[in-house]
Amino acid sequence: MKQRITRASNVGKLTALIGLLLLAPLLVLPIFPEDAPFAAAFLVPGIASILLGLALCLCIPAHPLTMQEAMHHGNLLVLYIWLYGCLAGALPFVLGGQLTFVQALFEAVSGWTTTGLSVMDVTVTPPIFLFYRSFMQFCGGLGFVMIMMTFVQGRMGMVLYNAEGHPDKLMPTLRETVRTIVLMYMAFLAVGVGAYVLCGMPVFDAVLHTMGALSTGGFSNQAESIGAYHSAAIEGVTVVLMLVGTTNFAILLLLVRRKWQDALRCSELRFLGALLVVFVPVTALALMTGLYMSLGEGLRQALFNIVSALSTTGYATMSYERWPQAAIGIMILMMLIGGGAGSTAGGIKLSRTLIMLKASFAELRARVSPEHEVRTPSITRAQGRTPVDAPTLRATAGFVTLYLLLFAAGTLLLCSTEGAPLASCMFEFASSLGTVGLSIGLTGPATCAATLLVEIAGMLLGRLEIFLVFTGLGSAVFLLRQRRRR
């Protein structure tokens, strides 16, 4: 018997939502009236997307689906909206005469996926496009489905919520969960902007950098990123915002509710702290010996940039071209590990890395200890202690293996397109696949189209957690077969 779960007009709603998001940058025109000539670059694709969405709502019939069909529709719909969003998001850059199509597609993918790699010269980019880039990251951190469900609810909601990669239901209902996450996000935005302004950052800059830090995106309106401000206070605020952005939403809710002990018991948060305690001093030592920095400066640079890499944000305080190779290697490792599951961060994720480490130590213990001393590894989440059972380990190992294979393949492709040293290509593709945004100098306005396309593939696969891309394609095949049978 088919349950009352329908695909209805979800395609149209999400398409229209993209159109509304494309119109949002017009809100800054009263502040920057000189950018009025660029209004059409947003109005044309925005209105077109809204009209297309309305047409799809009227044309696509609603009918009951089985749970299996609903899951396949959900996978395909999430894949569709991300691909459509990136294509539509590129149009304002092209219509506004800012970038070529490949560059515009790269910038849009980098924005929606919260990566932060850029091919724009921000010193000459109009403010409306600078706001647009940061706004894309802010929305991309939440996800299109999450944004839609703040306005629209339905029986398909949970299917889409899970398909987009949100693992936790924080409240009793999906509606309350989405509202709680969005309210936390907006509250942190207001606090972050206020903190930046108090530290001396201009209001417009503060809005852009807060959106970039919370979404772990990293777009900046300064060519030197956060380093342009030469302010320890601004760097400190950015570190806090990056840590907030990379923390699991469920853990953030515990912190907001002042349940400090429950939050500190979470394995992911403890692992994050352990990584910082170990690698910040090691990186500082490498910078002190390689660049002859003082202890204070070495620790300051190491803390900021390690947090930026591990949180997959991508803000920087200095160029990495002169960094010692040991420090570069640590940064690559941090970008591969990534941030918290269920947050705005990318990478393999802290929880998966921790599960693999615990499984490895458990296997080692099993080989050297009597059988009765062997224990099943477990991790503590915001919802409580969870054993690492065989299905969890199998899924984690599969993801990590595929992630590292893609990292190797992407690195080799960059080597062939750029002809750059292996370490530089590893850094750049780790940044793309982990949706980090840090660059060692390979990505910029002069980067060739082939390199940009490789990085686009890496950013999309990284943001959609690899498996969603393949499950979405598999769902398309399944639904086509179902239609032919009918």
Side-chain angles (χ1 to χ4, degrees):
M1 180 179 179
K2 294 188 176 184
Q3 301 182 35
R4 297 301 300 178
I5 299 178
T6 64
R7 61 178 175 171
S9 54
N10 285 310
V11 175
K13 291 173 184 176
L14 284 166
T15 303
L17 171 64
I18 296 296
L20 290 174
L21 297 180
L22 293 180
L23 296 177
L26 299 177
L27 296 174
V28 305
L29 287 181
I31 305 173
F32 301 102
E34 67 274 14
D35 285 350
F38 297 111
F42 297 93
L43 283 169
V44 172
I47 293 175
S49 189
I50 292 172
L51 293 176
L52 176 60
L54 294 175
L56 290 173
C57 287
L58 296 174
C59 295
I60 296 180
H63 66 270
L65 303 174
T66 65
M67 182 59 73
Q68 184 183 31
E69 289 173 335
M71 290 178 62
H72 284 294
H73 274 290
N75 292 334
L76 187 58
L77 180 55
V78 171
L79 181 59
Y80 156 77
I81 200 60
W82 275 96
L83 294 178
Y84 176 78
C86 291
L87 288 171
L91 294 179
F93 294 114
V94 177
L95 296 177
Q98 301 298 306
L99 300 169
T100 66
F101 177 74
V102 174
Q103 289 177 324
L105 182 62
F106 178 90
E107 203 75 11
V109 171
S110 184
W112 291 128
T113 60
T114 73
T115 302
L117 287 169
S118 180
V119 292
M120 300 193 79
D121 182 356
V122 296
T123 61
V124 296
T125 301
I128 190 171
F129 288 100
L130 294 175
F131 176 84
Y132 174 53
R133 298 188 322 153
S134 297
F135 181 73
M136 280 195 294
Q137 288 193 330
F138 189 68
C139 296
L142 282 174
F144 294 124
V145 171
M146 182 84 76
I147 295 172
M148 187 190 80
M149 286 191 293
T150 61
F151 307 102
V152 181
Q153 291 288 317
R155 296 292 300 276
M156 191 80 168
M158 183 56 76
V159 175
L160 294 175
Y161 183 81
N162 292 330
E164 199 178 38
H166 303 290
D168 298 312
K169 195 171 81 169
L170 310 187
M171 306 297 287
T173 67
L174 181 59
R175 181 188 293 271
E176 292 175 351
T177 295
V178 171
R179 286 181 176 176
T180 298
I181 291 174
V182 173
L183 285 174
M184 283 197 301
Y185 216 53
M186 298 305 295
F188 286 130
L189 175 65
V191 172
V193 171
Y196 272 137
V197 171
L198 288 176
C199 292
M201 184 181 284
V203 175
F204 183 66
D205 294 25
V207 172
L208 300 191
H209 286 102
T210 304
M211 288 194 291
L214 287 177
S215 64
T216 63
F219 275 147
S220 175
N221 62 332
Q222 301 293 330
E224 298 177 4
S225 191
I226 296 296
Y229 298 97
H230 304 288
S231 168
I234 288 176
E235 291 171 19
V237 171
T238 308
V239 166
V240 172
L241 291 175
M242 291 190 294
L243 290 174
V244 168
T246 200
T247 301
N248 184 298
F249 287 133
I251 298 176
L252 281 179
L253 185 58
L254 292 177
L255 293 173
V256 169
R257 291 176 170 176
R258 299 181 181 180
K259 296 182 179 180
W260 314 112
Q261 292 184 345
D262 292 338
L264 292 175
R265 290 193 191 100
C266 294
S267 301
E268 204 171 62
L269 194 61
R270 295 162 71 95
F271 186 46
L272 172 64
L275 289 172
L276 295 178
V277 167
V278 172
F279 288 105
V280 168
V282 174
T283 305
L285 181 61
L287 295 178
M288 290 164 58
T289 56
L291 299 180
Y292 305 104
M293 291 183 177
S294 64
L295 175 61
E297 182 66 13
L299 287 172
R300 175 179 167 181
Q301 296 291 346
L303 174 63
F304 185 94
N305 290 283
I306 288 295
V307 169
S308 182
L310 186 59
S311 66
T312 72
T313 303
Y315 283 136
T317 52
M318 62 184 298
S319 171
Y320 302 114
E321 294 181 15
R322 295 188 301 111
W323 271 38
Q325 291 300 299
I328 291 294
I330 292 172
M331 292 287 284
I332 293 173
L333 178 61
M334 296 296 100
M335 289 190 288
L336 288 175
I337 293 174
S343 70
T344 63
I348 292 173
K349 300 291 173 57
L350 291 165
S351 59
R352 291 194 183 104
T353 305
L354 185 59
I355 286 173
M356 294 301 293
L357 288 174
K358 282 181 171 287
S360 298
F361 287 131
E363 178 64 19
L364 180 62
R365 191 183 304 115
R367 292 179 179 274
V368 299
S369 302
E371 186 175 353
H372 65 274
E373 293 184 11
V374 177
R375 298 179 180 177
T376 301
S378 63
I379 60 173
T380 302
R381 304 182 188 273
Q383 297 81 6
R385 185 175 293 273
T386 304
V388 181
D389 54 18
T392 300
L393 182 58
R394 183 169 60 250
T396 302
F399 179 89
V400 172
T401 301
L402 188 55
Y403 192 96
L404 294 178
L405 287 174
L406 286 171
F407 170 63
T411 298
L412 294 177
L413 284 173
L414 285 188
C415 287
S416 63
T417 59
E418 283 294 315
L422 178 62
S424 298
C425 293
M426 289 176 66
F427 188 99
E428 211 76 3
F429 197 73
S431 182
S432 301
L433 187 60
T435 67
V436 181
L438 295 173
S439 177
I440 203 167
L442 298 187
T443 305
T447 303
C448 69
T451 296
L452 296 182
L453 290 173
V454 172
E455 293 182 350
I456 285 172
M459 290 187 289
L460 284 172
L461 287 167
R463 176 59 179 86
L464 296 178
E465 297 255 296
I466 303 174
F467 285 131
L468 177 58
V469 176
F470 296 106
T471 55
L473 295 175
S475 294
V477 174
F478 172 83
L479 294 172
L480 285 174
R481 288 177 178 174
Q482 288 289 96
R483 177 170 294 183
R484 287 177 182 175
R485 289 172 184 173
R486 293 171 182 170

